[in-house]
Structure formats: C-alpha cells, structure tokens
Amino acid sequence: MDRIPILRMGKFLLVTIQIDLYDRLATNLESDLVNMVNKTGARGVLIDISALSIVDSFMGRILGNIGTMSKIMDAEAVVVGMQPAVAITLIELGLELKGVHTALNVEKGMELLHEKISFDEDTLDEADYENNSE
Amino acid sequence: MTIEKEQDVVPFRNRVKEHAVKIGMSILNQTKLITAASELVRNMLKYAGGGVTTIEVLSKGRENGIRVVFQDKGPGIKDIKQAMQDGFSTGKSLGVGLPGAKRLVSEFDIKSIPGEGTTVTIIKWKNG
C-alpha cells in the first residue's frame, strides 16, 4: 500500500507531502503519524504542504485531526508552506484549520516548534527545581 | 467521466485542472474551481456511491469558463435549502461542502429528486 514517508529528526517528525493525496493515503498518514509520535516520543510534527495544489474540506479535516491528536499525545503539529491560493480558497470554503499551528515555510515552522518545546521544558525545569528545594 | 471510488477523485481533479489551464484561468480561480469540484465529487461518492461528471469549456461573449456537471442516481436531497446551510450535515462531515462549493464558483445550480438522484452544475468564468 502507498504511504507518505515520515522522517525522524531528533525530537521532531517531518512529513513532506509531494503528491495530491487520495483519501486512503491521507487517513493512513494521520494514523501513521500518531503511531510514530507514540513510538518515538516526538515532541513536534512538521508537515510541508507546499506541493499541494488544493486542500479541500477532507484534507483540511485530516490536518486539523493531526494537530489535535498530536496535542493529546503531548506534541505540537505545524503545517508549513501553504500556497496563497490554497489559503484564500480554504477561508472562502469556510475552513479555519483549527487545532494546528501554521508557519510560512519549513525554517519558520522549525523555529516555531523549537519555541513551543523549549518553553515547555523551561517550565518543567522550574517545577522540578521547586520540588527539589522542598 | 465515471466516478465510483475514492481513487477516481485525484484523476478527476486533474482533468478539471487541464481544462482550466487550457483557457488560461488564473491559479487562484483554478484552485477555487478544483476545490469546489473536489467537494462535490466527494459528496457524490459519499451519499450516492458515485456518479457521472462532465467537464466542458464554455464561451459567453469574450468570456471563457468551465462547466462541471455532477450527476448521480443516489437517494437525492430532501431539503435543498437546509443542505445549502453552513454547518448542516447528515453525515459526520463539517457541513461546508455544498455552501462552500457555491461560494467558490461563479454559478451554482442544484436539482434533486428524492429517490431518483441529484444533479449539480457549477460554472467558473475565467475572470469570475
């Protein structure tokens, strides 16, 4: 069965969608990603959709699901590289892409993930410190 | 073009795109047309188990456009007015399909007879 490859890079998982997905491929990606987050303990998921010429309500829902599921699994998901025409069309269609972070490109997306995760770790460290000092 | 399984969606979208490129439609209008067509073809698969689509180039004066017709022999829609409302869905979807598709195209027509089927026609003018 066809699958979209998921690359692991440190604490992050990277996915580049290079072809127009049919439904099964998209739902497989959703479940593969959640399984990978679980297996690897990844803290961030970055999905590059710069090659996608359209995002319809089905694909929009998949992206939203990935965001929400990642959050439940204690990871952050960011979608990067959306074409301007796709963004305009999504809003006119009535989709807001809730539940998932977005960034302009891969670089900005990585920065966003680093920020989110280092913030988490800082607050964790402080909590540990307070516990230890008691 | 006959649509009977989800794998038909991507080739169908490509066919719509070829037509839109042929008349020189802008990327934005192409994206809107293809997204609307994708929503409608998905509806057809989901609610009627498939159907037949026709894609053609139209001319009105100097303006060119693309017409796509979606014809199915599914259960039909009882209340079209309700189906065209944002957020209404009999399935588990988000309910943006029909009203969203309508917003993305220049002209939108839907006819449905319960028990016989549904025909949706959309037109996107090149500069519309």
Side-chain angles (χ1 to χ4, degrees):
Chain A
M1 197 185 287
D2 295 338
R3 285 207 131 76
I4 302 288
I6 301 172
L7 308 177
R8 186 180 172 188
M9 202 179 102
K11 291 176 189 167
F12 303 131
L13 299 177
L14 307 181
V15 180
T16 307
I17 303 176
Q18 295 285 1
I19 50 164
D20 276 325
L21 302 179
Y22 55 87
D23 298 9
R24 180 52 53 86
L25 213 51
T27 46
N28 279 348
L29 176 65
E30 182 186 290
S31 56
D32 286 353
L33 261 178
V34 178
N35 284 330
M36 277 285 269
V37 169
N38 179 37
K39 212 162 66 183
T40 63
R43 301 296 318 277
V45 176
L46 186 132
I47 306 164
D48 173 27
I49 60 162
S50 55
L52 277 191
S53 55
I54 80 150
V55 173
D56 61 7
S57 65
F58 177 81
M59 193 59 210
R61 192 167 66 214
I62 295 280
L63 292 174
N65 285 353
I66 290 174
T68 314
M69 288 175 186
S70 301
K71 193 146 258 171
I72 293 171
M73 307 288 287
D74 195 24
E76 300 282 347
V78 57
V79 169
V80 305
M82 186 182 288
Q83 300 285 341
V86 171
I88 294 168
T89 303
L90 264 182
I91 296 308
E92 220 160 291
L93 186 64
L95 286 181
E96 294 168 37
L97 221 59
K98 280 184 192 147
V100 67
H101 302 293
T102 50
L104 202 55
N105 52 36
V106 176
E107 204 181 331
K108 294 236 163 71
M110 282 307 247
E111 274 171 27
L112 183 73
L113 283 180
H114 276 295
E115 268 169 37
K116 296 253 172 226
I117 286 153
S118 60
F119 178 76
D120 270 13
E121 282 174 353
D122 285 350
T123 46
L124 272 181
D125 288 347
E126 272 170 35
D128 284 348
Y129 178 76
E130 276 167 26
N131 286 339
N132 291 338
S133 60
E134 271 172 21
Chain B
M1 186 173 171
T2 311
I3 307 287
E4 48 195 16
K5 51 187 188 303
E6 62 172 53
Q7 282 90 337
D8 297 335
V9 173
V10 173
F12 163 75
R13 287 202 304 230
N14 291 340
R15 288 279 290 278
V16 176
K17 186 174 184 156
E18 281 163 24
H19 281 76
V21 169
K22 205 163 65 186
I23 65 162
M25 198 180 265
S26 70
I27 297 281
L28 178 56
N29 278 351
Q30 274 183 40
T31 308
K32 287 182 180 180
L33 170 65
I34 300 166
T35 307
S38 184
E39 296 295 329
L40 294 169
V41 85
R42 245 183 237 298
N43 271 355
M44 200 166 81
L45 272 172
K46 188 170 164 195
Y47 296 104
V52 178
T53 59
T54 325
I55 311 165
E56 55 196 338
V57 176
L58 288 184
S59 298
K60 192 172 76 178
R62 281 191 193 164
E63 182 75 312
N64 287 328
I66 303 290
R67 173 162 62 201
V68 192
V69 183
F70 306 81
Q71 230 172 340
D72 71 59
K73 293 194 169 70
I77 301 168
K78 267 191 222 133
D79 189 342
I80 289 181
K81 222 174 133 189
Q82 193 181 35
M84 291 304 297
Q85 278 168 16
D86 269 305
F88 175 81
S89 176
T90 54
K92 277 188 200 156
S93 66
L94 300 168
V96 298
L98 281 178
K102 187 179 178 182
R103 278 193 294 269
L104 292 173
V105 296
S106 318
E107 290 171 41
F108 183 98
D109 179 67
I110 181 164
K111 287 190 178 68
S112 186
I113 303 169
E116 287 186 29
T118 304
T119 303
V120 180
T121 307
I122 56 172
I123 297 172
K124 183 79 182 166
W125 297 109
K126 186 180 156 188
N127 302 309

